Amino acid sequence: MAKKKITERDVMKAQKTWGRAIVEIGEEYMTGGDFVKCAKTHIKKLYGYGDGTVLFKPTKCEVIQFRPTREGALSYFVGDQFAPAGFSEDKGFAIAPYVAVHFAKLQVIEGDHRAIAMGNYFFTKLDGESVKVEYTFGYRWRDEQLVIDLHHSSFPFTNS
């Protein structure tokens, strides 16, 4: 594990990589490619599953809100019908699909072994509509790359 401090710049690079991964999974789905394999590759690269605890609370989960395993994350991103893990509510967040993901930082806490970022991110749909989501991500080093060990996202509060 690298010992260098995790900076805001490191976090921003990791966020761009995560956003591109979501777009790529959707592109694979839309073009008939192996989107499940694509998602597995990105999850393995971007999340700390397998070498530590990952706290993952995705946006569109109501019945079972948390995904503590790699299989649960895969089900969320591609849908339980394509990667059965027992989360029947998972319809495949990343195969919506989206054409862009943009992070708008609110705050980053830098640290020697981990960093935490909070803000909004925006998912652009095929029709150009942008969906705003709130996030908190935690990062730590795996070798020379940041991996996510905390992922919490939710839709903004509405007073209805």
Side-chain angles (χ1 to χ4, degrees):
M1 177 163 69
K3 299 286 184 187
K4 72 175 188 170
K5 181 178 180 175
I6 301 172
T7 66
E8 184 174 322
R9 184 179 179 142
D10 296 323
V11 168
M12 291 172 63
K13 179 180 175 186
Q15 289 176 337
K16 285 181 184 179
T17 301
W18 187 91
R20 281 193 307 268
I22 296 301
V23 171
E24 287 175 15
I25 295 166
E27 287 173 347
E28 284 293 310
Y29 175 74
M30 293 296 291
T31 60
D34 193 343
F35 63 96
V36 175
K37 181 180 178 183
C38 180
K40 284 180 181 179
T41 299
H42 285 306
I43 291 167
K44 184 176 182 179
K45 178 182 173 186
L46 300 173
Y47 286 86
Y49 292 111
D51 51 39
T53 300
V54 175
L55 306 175
F56 182 16
K57 193 287 178 197
T59 310
K60 293 183 171 185
C61 294
E62 180 181 7
V63 179
I64 303 173
Q65 298 94 350
F66 305 101
R67 301 293 188 267
T69 65
R70 183 178 288 145
E71 295 77 21
L74 180 63
S75 173
Y76 179 73
F77 286 122
V78 301
D80 204 60
Q81 71 273 27
F82 300 112
F87 301 101
S88 60
E89 68 182 311
D90 290 350
K91 304 304 179 210
F93 180 80
I95 64 173
Y98 301 99
V99 297
V101 178
H102 169 73
F103 281 79
K105 168 190 68 78
L106 173 63
Q107 190 73 36
V108 175
I109 299 172
E110 299 176 346
D112 289 336
H113 302 286
R114 70 172 295 103
I116 300 172
M118 177 183 279
N120 295 306
Y121 49 176
F122 300 85
F123 297 84
T124 306
K125 296 180 178 183
L126 288 172
D127 65 4
E129 178 188 359
S130 183
V131 179
K132 177 182 176 180
V133 179
E134 301 164 341
Y135 74 86
T136 303
F137 276 30
Y139 300 92
R140 63 177 170 75
W141 289 115
R142 179 196 296 144
D143 300 321
E144 296 297 318
Q145 179 180 333
L146 288 185
V147 292
I148 300 163
D149 63 1
L150 166 65
H151 173 156
H152 181 279
S153 59
S154 57
F155 290 117
F157 173 75
T158 58
N159 193 8
S160 43

